[in-house]
Amino acid sequence: MVRDLFFRVRLEAGLRALGVPFRVVGAGDVLAAVQDARPDVVILDLSDPGLRPLAVLTELRSRSELPPVRVLGYAAHVDRELRRAALQAGCDAVVTRARISSALADVLRPLLPRAREEPSGPATGA
């Protein structure tokens, strides 16, 4: 769930480079996309109030009919309260915008199924 064009382009390029299939969806489509596509990870722009990220996250976590999915959220480094709220709402990892932009592979790797079998560092970042 990313509407910011700058980050969307960077994330898409980074995911392609990693060979990770992806789909970009809006807030109203994420629950259906999780049900249909059964993704390993949802990447969520926590700073976009139009996406209602905390409400979507809460719904992802509360609907038992949805398959389990890991959630990677990102927000501005100065918005510590939002990042804390996202973790409390069920985000598996929350990083800064700078970290997801500069180190997508490092941030994403621990959340992917193959990587979970291998020891790695935490997915939270600067």
Side-chain angles (χ1 to χ4, degrees):
M1 289 179 37
V2 178
R3 291 191 315 176
D4 181 301
L5 186 57
F6 171 77
F7 274 88
R8 180 177 172 172
V9 169
R10 293 206 58 154
L11 286 173
E12 288 176 357
L15 292 168
R16 276 192 198 96
L18 294 170
V20 175
F22 64 91
R23 182 187 330 174
V24 178
V25 299
D29 302 325
V30 73
L31 300 174
V34 167
Q35 182 67 42
D36 296 339
R38 298 185 176 279
D40 294 317
V41 178
V42 170
I43 300 175
L44 181 59
D45 182 352
L46 300 170
S47 299
D48 187 337
L51 292 175
R52 300 176 18 258
L54 295 180
V56 168
L57 182 56
T58 300
E59 192 159 359
L60 270 174
R61 294 303 186 222
S62 67
R63 297 201 30 203
S64 61
E65 74 275 11
L66 293 175
V69 64
R70 307 204 49 154
V71 179
L72 168 62
Y74 68 91
H77 74 280
V78 296
D79 205 343
R80 292 182 181 173
E81 185 55 39
L82 176 60
R83 293 185 353 227
R84 187 175 308 119
L87 288 170
Q88 289 174 345
C91 251
D92 294 287
V94 178
V95 297
T96 64
R97 293 171 68 89
R99 178 101 170 117
I100 200 167
S101 181
S102 67
L104 180 61
D106 293 336
V107 170
L108 195 55
R109 190 172 295 116
L111 299 173
L112 295 174
R114 183 179 54 233
R116 281 186 238 143
E117 299 168 6
E118 304 166 6
S120 63
T124 56

Coordinates of all heavy atoms in Angstrom, one line a residue, residues 4-55:
D4 N 2.7 7.2 -2.6 CA 3.7 8.2 -2.8 C 4.5 7.7 -4.1 O 5.1 6.7 -4.0 CB 4.6 8.3 -1.6 CG 5.7 9.3 -1.8 OD1 6.5 9.1 -2.7 OD2 5.8 10.3 -1.0
L5 N 4.4 8.4 -5.1 CA 5.0 8.0 -6.4 C 6.6 7.8 -6.3 O 7.1 6.8 -6.8 CB 4.8 9.0 -7.5 CG 5.2 8.6 -8.9 CD1 4.6 7.3 -9.3 CD2 4.9 9.7 -9.9
F6 N 7.3 8.6 -5.5 CA 8.7 8.5 -5.4 C 9.0 7.1 -4.7 O 9.8 6.3 -5.2 CB 9.3 9.6 -4.5 CG 10.7 9.4 -4.1 CD1 11.7 9.6 -5.0 CD2 11.0 8.9 -2.8 CE1 13.0 9.4 -4.6 CE2 12.3 8.7 -2.4 CZ 13.3 9.0 -3.3
F7 N 8.3 6.8 -3.6 CA 8.6 5.5 -3.0 C 8.1 4.4 -3.7 O 8.7 3.3 -3.7 CB 8.0 5.6 -1.5 CG 9.0 6.2 -0.6 CD1 9.0 7.5 -0.4 CD2 9.9 5.4 0.1 CE1 10.0 8.1 0.5 CE2 10.9 5.9 0.9 CZ 10.9 7.3 1.1
R8 N 7.0 4.5 -4.4 CA 6.4 3.4 -5.2 C 7.4 3.0 -6.3 O 7.7 1.8 -6.5 CB 5.1 3.9 -5.8 CG 4.5 2.8 -6.7 CD 3.1 3.2 -7.2 NE 2.6 2.2 -8.1 CZ 1.4 2.3 -8.6 NH1 0.6 3.2 -8.2 NH2 1.0 1.4 -9.4
V9 N 8.0 4.0 -7.0 CA 8.9 3.7 -8.1 C 10.2 3.0 -7.5 O 10.7 2.0 -8.0 CB 9.3 5.0 -8.8 CG1 10.5 4.8 -9.7 CG2 8.1 5.5 -9.6
R10 N 10.7 3.5 -6.4 CA 11.9 2.9 -5.7 C 11.6 1.5 -5.2 O 12.4 0.6 -5.4 CB 12.3 3.8 -4.6 CG 12.9 5.1 -5.1 CD 13.8 5.8 -4.2 NE 15.0 5.0 -4.0 CZ 16.1 5.5 -3.7 NH1 16.3 6.7 -3.7 NH2 17.2 4.7 -3.4
L11 N 10.4 1.3 -4.6 CA 10.1 0.0 -4.1 C 9.9 -1.0 -5.3 O 10.4 -2.1 -5.2 CB 8.8 0.0 -3.3 CG 9.0 0.6 -1.9 CD1 7.6 0.8 -1.2 CD2 9.9 -0.2 -1.0
E12 N 9.2 -0.6 -6.3 CA 9.0 -1.4 -7.5 C 10.4 -1.8 -8.1 O 10.6 -3.0 -8.4 CB 8.1 -0.8 -8.5 CG 6.7 -0.7 -8.1 CD 5.8 0.0 -9.1 OE1 6.3 0.6 -10.1 OE2 4.6 0.1 -8.9
A13 N 11.3 -0.9 -8.2 CA 12.6 -1.2 -8.8 C 13.4 -2.1 -7.9 O 14.0 -3.0 -8.3 CB 13.4 0.1 -9.0
G14 N 13.3 -1.8 -6.6 CA 14.0 -2.7 -5.6 C 13.5 -4.1 -5.6 O 14.2 -5.1 -5.6
L15 N 12.1 -4.2 -5.6 CA 11.5 -5.6 -5.6 C 11.8 -6.3 -6.9 O 12.1 -7.5 -6.9 CB 10.0 -5.5 -5.4 CG 9.6 -5.0 -4.0 CD1 8.1 -4.6 -4.0 CD2 9.9 -6.0 -3.0
R16 N 11.8 -5.6 -8.0 CA 12.2 -6.3 -9.3 C 13.6 -6.8 -9.2 O 13.9 -7.9 -9.7 CB 12.0 -5.3 -10.5 CG 10.6 -5.3 -11.0 CD 10.6 -4.5 -12.3 NE 9.2 -4.1 -12.6 CZ 8.7 -3.0 -12.3 NH1 9.4 -2.0 -11.7 NH2 7.4 -2.7 -12.5
A17 N 14.5 -5.9 -8.7 CA 15.9 -6.3 -8.7 C 16.2 -7.5 -7.8 O 17.0 -8.3 -8.0 CB 16.8 -5.1 -8.1
L18 N 15.3 -7.7 -6.8 CA 15.4 -8.8 -5.8 C 14.7 -10.0 -6.4 O 14.8 -11.1 -5.8 CB 14.8 -8.4 -4.5 CG 15.5 -7.4 -3.7 CD1 14.7 -7.0 -2.5 CD2 16.9 -7.9 -3.2
G19 N 14.0 -9.8 -7.5 CA 13.2 -11.0 -8.1 C 12.0 -11.3 -7.2 O 11.5 -12.4 -7.3
V20 N 11.5 -10.3 -6.5 CA 10.3 -10.6 -5.6 C 9.0 -10.1 -6.4 O 8.9 -8.9 -6.7 CB 10.4 -9.8 -4.3 CG1 9.2 -9.9 -3.5 CG2 11.7 -10.2 -3.5
P21 N 8.1 -11.0 -6.6 CA 6.9 -10.6 -7.3 C 6.1 -9.7 -6.4 O 6.1 -9.8 -5.1 CB 6.1 -11.9 -7.6 CG 6.7 -12.9 -6.7 CD 8.1 -12.4 -6.3
F22 N 5.3 -8.7 -6.9 CA 4.6 -7.8 -6.1 C 3.4 -7.3 -6.8 O 3.2 -7.4 -8.0 CB 5.5 -6.6 -5.7 CG 5.9 -5.7 -6.9 CD1 5.2 -4.6 -7.3 CD2 7.1 -6.0 -7.6 CE1 5.5 -3.9 -8.4 CE2 7.5 -5.3 -8.7 CZ 6.7 -4.2 -9.1
R23 N 2.5 -6.7 -6.1 CA 1.3 -6.0 -6.6 C 1.0 -4.8 -5.7 O 1.1 -4.8 -4.5 CB 0.1 -6.9 -6.5 CG -1.2 -6.3 -7.1 CD -2.5 -7.0 -6.9 NE -2.4 -8.5 -6.8 CZ -3.5 -9.2 -6.5 NH1 -4.7 -8.6 -6.3 NH2 -3.4 -10.5 -6.4
V24 N 0.8 -3.6 -6.4 CA 0.5 -2.4 -5.7 C -1.0 -2.3 -5.6 O -1.8 -2.4 -6.5 CB 1.0 -1.2 -6.4 CG1 0.7 0.1 -5.7 CG2 2.6 -1.3 -6.6
V25 N -1.5 -2.1 -4.3 CA -3.0 -2.0 -4.1 C -3.2 -0.8 -3.2 O -2.4 -0.3 -2.5 CB -3.6 -3.2 -3.5 CG1 -3.4 -4.4 -4.4 CG2 -3.0 -3.5 -2.1
G26 N -4.5 -0.3 -3.3 CA -4.9 0.8 -2.4 C -5.5 0.2 -1.1 O -5.7 -1.0 -0.9
A27 N -5.9 1.1 -0.2 CA -6.4 0.7 1.1 C -7.6 -0.2 1.0 O -7.8 -1.1 1.7 CB -6.7 2.0 1.9
G28 N -8.5 0.2 0.0 CA -9.7 -0.6 -0.1 C -9.5 -2.0 -0.7 O -10.4 -2.8 -0.6
D29 N -8.3 -2.2 -1.3 CA -8.1 -3.5 -2.0 C -7.2 -4.4 -1.2 O -7.0 -5.6 -1.6 CB -7.4 -3.2 -3.3 CG -8.3 -2.3 -4.2 OD1 -9.5 -2.5 -4.1 OD2 -7.7 -1.5 -4.9
V30 N -6.5 -4.0 -0.1 CA -5.5 -4.8 0.5 C -6.1 -6.1 1.1 O -5.5 -7.1 1.0 CB -4.7 -4.0 1.6 CG1 -5.5 -3.7 2.8 CG2 -3.4 -4.7 1.9
L31 N -7.2 -6.0 1.7 CA -7.8 -7.2 2.4 C -8.1 -8.3 1.3 O -7.8 -9.5 1.4 CB -9.0 -6.9 3.2 CG -8.7 -5.9 4.4 CD1 -10.0 -5.6 5.1 CD2 -7.7 -6.5 5.3
A32 N -8.7 -7.8 0.2 CA -9.0 -8.7 -0.9 C -7.7 -9.3 -1.5 O -7.6 -10.5 -1.9 CB -9.9 -8.1 -2.0
A33 N -6.7 -8.4 -1.7 CA -5.4 -8.9 -2.2 C -4.8 -9.9 -1.3 O -4.2 -10.9 -1.8 CB -4.5 -7.7 -2.5
V34 N -4.8 -9.7 0.0 CA -4.2 -10.7 0.9 C -5.0 -12.0 0.8 O -4.4 -13.1 0.7 CB -4.2 -10.2 2.3 CG1 -3.9 -11.3 3.3 CG2 -3.2 -9.0 2.5
Q35 N -6.3 -12.0 0.7 CA -7.1 -13.2 0.6 C -6.8 -13.9 -0.8 O -6.6 -15.1 -0.8 CB -8.6 -12.8 0.6 CG -9.5 -14.1 0.6 CD -9.3 -14.9 1.8 OE1 -9.3 -14.5 2.9 NE2 -9.3 -16.2 1.6
D36 N -6.7 -13.2 -1.8 CA -6.6 -13.8 -3.2 C -5.1 -14.2 -3.5 O -4.9 -15.3 -3.9 CB -7.1 -12.8 -4.3 CG -8.5 -12.5 -4.2 OD1 -9.3 -13.3 -3.6 OD2 -9.0 -11.5 -4.7
A37 N -4.2 -13.3 -3.2 CA -2.8 -13.5 -3.6 C -2.0 -14.2 -2.6 O -0.9 -14.8 -2.9 CB -2.2 -12.2 -4.0
R38 N -2.4 -14.1 -1.3 CA -1.7 -14.7 -0.2 C -0.2 -14.3 -0.2 O 0.7 -15.2 -0.3 CB -1.8 -16.3 -0.2 CG -3.3 -16.7 -0.1 CD -3.4 -18.2 0.0 NE -4.7 -18.6 0.3 CZ -5.3 -18.6 1.5 NH1 -4.7 -18.2 2.5 NH2 -6.6 -19.1 1.6
P39 N 0.0 -13.0 -0.1 CA 1.4 -12.6 -0.2 C 2.2 -13.0 1.1 O 1.6 -13.2 2.1 CB 1.3 -11.1 -0.3 CG 0.0 -10.8 0.5 CD -0.9 -11.9 0.1
D40 N 3.5 -13.0 1.0 CA 4.3 -13.2 2.2 C 4.4 -11.9 3.0 O 4.5 -12.0 4.2 CB 5.7 -13.6 1.7 CG 5.7 -15.0 1.1 OD1 5.1 -15.9 1.5 OD2 6.4 -15.1 0.0
V41 N 4.4 -10.8 2.3 CA 4.7 -9.5 3.0 C 3.8 -8.4 2.4 O 3.6 -8.4 1.2 CB 6.1 -9.1 2.9 CG1 6.3 -7.7 3.6 CG2 7.1 -10.1 3.5
V42 N 3.2 -7.6 3.3 CA 2.5 -6.4 2.8 C 3.4 -5.2 3.3 O 3.9 -5.2 4.4 CB 1.1 -6.2 3.5 CG1 0.6 -4.8 3.3 CG2 0.2 -7.3 3.0
I43 N 3.7 -4.3 2.3 CA 4.5 -3.1 2.6 C 3.6 -2.0 2.7 O 2.8 -1.7 1.8 CB 5.6 -2.9 1.6 CG1 6.6 -4.1 1.5 CG2 6.4 -1.6 1.9 CD1 7.6 -3.9 0.4
L44 N 3.6 -1.3 3.9 CA 2.6 -0.3 4.2 C 3.2 1.0 4.5 O 4.1 1.2 5.4 CB 1.8 -0.9 5.4 CG 0.7 -0.1 6.0 CD1 -0.4 0.1 5.0 CD2 0.2 -0.8 7.2
D45 N 2.8 2.1 3.8 CA 3.2 3.4 4.1 C 2.4 4.0 5.2 O 1.2 4.3 5.1 CB 3.0 4.3 2.8 CG 3.5 5.7 3.0 OD1 3.8 6.1 4.1 OD2 3.5 6.5 2.0
L46 N 3.0 4.0 6.4 CA 2.3 4.4 7.6 C 2.0 5.9 7.6 O 1.1 6.3 8.4 CB 3.2 4.0 8.8 CG 3.5 2.6 9.0 CD1 4.5 2.4 10.1 CD2 2.2 1.8 9.3
S47 N 2.7 6.7 6.8 CA 2.6 8.1 6.9 C 1.5 8.7 6.0 O 1.2 9.9 6.0 CB 3.9 8.8 6.5 OG 4.9 8.4 7.3
D48 N 0.8 7.8 5.2 CA -0.2 8.3 4.3 C -1.6 8.1 4.9 O -2.2 7.0 4.9 CB -0.2 7.5 3.0 CG -1.1 8.0 1.9 OD1 -2.1 8.7 2.3 OD2 -0.8 7.8 0.8
P49 N -2.2 9.2 5.5 CA -3.5 9.1 6.2 C -4.6 8.6 5.2 O -5.6 8.0 5.6 CB -3.7 10.5 6.8 CG -2.9 11.4 6.0 CD -1.7 10.6 5.5
G50 N -4.4 8.9 3.9 CA -5.5 8.5 3.0 C -5.6 7.0 2.8 O -6.6 6.5 2.4
L51 N -4.5 6.3 3.2 CA -4.5 4.8 3.2 C -5.1 4.2 4.4 O -5.4 3.0 4.5 CB -3.1 4.3 3.0 CG -2.5 4.5 1.6 CD1 -1.0 4.1 1.6 CD2 -3.3 3.9 0.5
R52 N -5.3 5.0 5.5 CA -5.7 4.6 6.8 C -4.9 3.4 7.2 O -5.4 2.3 7.5 CB -7.2 4.2 6.7 CG -8.1 5.3 6.3 CD -9.6 4.9 6.2 NE -10.0 3.6 6.8 CZ -10.2 2.5 6.1 NH1 -10.0 2.4 4.8 NH2 -10.6 1.4 6.8
P53 N -3.6 3.5 7.3 CA -2.7 2.4 7.5 C -2.9 1.6 8.8 O -2.9 0.4 8.9 CB -1.3 3.0 7.4 CG -1.5 4.4 7.7 CD -2.8 4.8 7.2
L54 N -3.2 2.3 9.9 CA -3.4 1.6 11.2 C -4.7 0.9 11.2 O -4.8 -0.2 11.7 CB -3.3 2.6 12.4 CG -1.9 3.2 12.5 CD1 -1.9 4.2 13.7 CD2 -0.8 2.2 12.7
A55 N -5.7 1.5 10.6 CA -7.0 0.8 10.5 C -6.9 -0.5 9.6 O -7.4 -1.5 10.0 CB -8.1 1.7 9.9

